[in-house]
Amino acid sequence: MRRAAILLLPLALLACRQEMAQQRRLATEGTSTLWPDGAAARAPPEGVVAQGALARGIQGAPARDIQGAPARDATMPPAVTPALLARGQERYGIFCAPCHGPAGDGDGMIPRRGFPRPPSYHEARLRAAPAAYFFQVISQGYGVMYSYAARVAPADRWAIIAYVRALQLAHSVPLAAVPDAREHLP
Amino acid sequence: MHGDPDEARPPRDALQAQLFPPWATLVARLALLALVLLPLGLLGLLMALQYSPYVTGQGITPDQPVPFSHEHHVGGLGLECRYCHGGVEVSRFAGLPPTETCMTCHSQLWTNAAMLAPVRRSLAEDRPIRWRRVNNLPDYVYFDHSVHVRNGVGCTSCHGPVDSMPLMRQAAPLTMGWCLGCHRDPAPHLRPESEIYAGHWTPPADQAARGAALIGHYGIRTAHLTDCSVCHR
């Protein structure tokens, strides 16, 4: 009987988690008792500029880089290119369309489930609003809409705005501006 | 004195009959066989157990502090993965959404639901919600999300049909054999950019041709993908 028990002993190995599988380090979203919020991950201190932020034009970066060349100003819109529009379309789909709807009418899925309905991008006031106003709304939020500063990087905000402009334009194109419109109608 | 030495002993057959019953030979043979087979069987059982869902954790749905449903948020509301898992295409880590992301909608929706009380408490106390890990590799394995999702491997190839999961479960065994199965021949799993983040995906009928084309499209070189140093750095 005892011998048989010894044969079963290796089964206990199954329950082992070796030191190598759980190393003595903090996991990316692990816990730690060092800080009051219990999280191991830390937010960078106020005013920290990430490496390469100047070249990428991140908001809050100093106006000049180490060589003294003027850094790209993130609060200035970049040139509109097809690549920027494509990026904007993708980001708009992820972050804005759930509420503002795929065409910007303000009839996304979330308002349909009871969220306050956002205004349509096609109303005169928002058509006339400058791009910088949209930048401000995305960065700081507006009314019940939360800020997207933590989720949408400044470069992507401009891409989204370019796409919103394209939506606004597409909404008010006269038929004469689309010569082959008939071919696209059902 | 003794004459014939055999005379004193009982007959040969009778002697054996006393010591061993006739079936003893069979038992002895079986015992010998068991001596070999039993350890082998036990070893086999151990090996099988290693890959059973009980050890790999496949199919396990851990209890979460808030019963967050991907079925409702992804399948029902059509939210994209990156709305909440923002790191997935730029870093090793997909990341979990901060409480503020939930409150983007739940500051207005379901504001009194008891189910969401831990979310509101987390915001008030400024303490992150402690989600329990669903997928977890041993620390000695290096894994990177961005290299996969930017090269044609979609979320559901590894995480299953997320848009029909009321609670998140571990869909894949996450064993080394599972990783290697795809690394040896990724073509059947590759998709175009537009379908990487889809909540569910089934390969189209002509996946064989598409997969081969996508290997070229993404520029995937499969030769080194099974090197040990790819995953054990």
Side-chain angles (χ1 to χ4, degrees), chain B residues 3 30 46 48 53 58 67 87 102 104 113 156-157 165 169 189 216 220 228-229:
Chain B
L30 282 181
L46 277 180
Q58 186 177 15
C102 310
T104 304
T156 58
S157 294
M165 294 187 192
R169 66 169 185 273
H189 307 279
I220 297 169
C228 313
S229 58

Side-chain angles (χ1 to χ4, degrees), chain A residues 46-177:
Chain A
E46 210 49 49
V48 162
V49 179
Q51 213 172 45
L54 298 184
R56 280 181 280 125
I58 304 290
Q59 211 179 14
R64 290 188 177 275
D65 64 16
I66 300 170
Q67 276 90 35
R72 242 198 63 210
D73 186 356
T75 54
M76 289 303 289
V80 177
T81 59
L84 186 83
L85 276 176
R87 175 81 181 171
Q89 180 176 29
E90 187 195 52
R91 295 292 121 173
Y92 180 87
I94 300 170
F95 293 106
C96 316
C99 294
H100 288 272
D105 295 318
D107 63 346
M109 188 52 117
I110 309 300
R112 270 186 257 161
R113 299 297 173 98
F115 199 84
R117 202 185 143 113
S120 163
Y121 289 145
H122 309 299
E123 60 181 50
R125 181 176 61 89
L126 287 176
R127 292 176 66 87
Y133 177 68
F134 283 82
F135 193 90
Q136 187 196 328
V137 171
I138 301 175
S139 311
Q140 293 163 17
Y142 177 88
V144 297
M145 178 183 141
Y146 270 37
S147 156
Y148 277 76
R151 282 171 263 182
V152 183
D156 285 340
R157 290 175 218 165
W158 288 120
I160 288 176
I161 296 165
Y163 183 68
V164 169
R165 284 286 187 241
L167 284 179
Q168 291 177 331
L169 202 65
H171 201 260
S172 60
V173 171
L175 199 60

Side-chain angles (χ1 to χ4, degrees), chain A residues 1-68:
Chain A
M1 192 55 222
R2 218 190 257 150
R3 301 231 174 99
I6 289 173
L7 276 179
L8 288 176
L9 220 68
L11 273 175
L13 284 177
L14 283 178
C16 286
R17 296 298 285 169
Q18 313 99 315
E19 189 77 338
M20 225 164 67
Q22 277 177 0
Q23 297 167 8
R24 287 152 161 261
R25 57 174 163 83
L26 297 177
T28 308
E29 289 197 339
T31 55
S32 157
T33 47
L34 275 178
W35 293 280
D37 66 359
R42 302 282 89 206
E46 210 49 49
V48 162
V49 179
Q51 213 172 45
L54 298 184
R56 280 181 280 125
I58 304 290
Q59 211 179 14
R64 290 188 177 275
D65 64 16
I66 300 170
Q67 276 90 35

Side-chain angles (χ1 to χ4, degrees), chain B residues 10-11 25 39 41 48 57 70 73 76 78 98 134 137 155-156 159 169 172 180 185 187-188 195-196 202 208 227 232:
Chain B
T25 335
H70 282 77
H73 291 86
V134 181
L137 289 173
C155 312
T156 58
H159 293 304
R169 66 169 185 273
L180 288 176
D185 179 21
E195 284 164 45
I196 301 291
T202 34
D227 292 357
H232 304 296

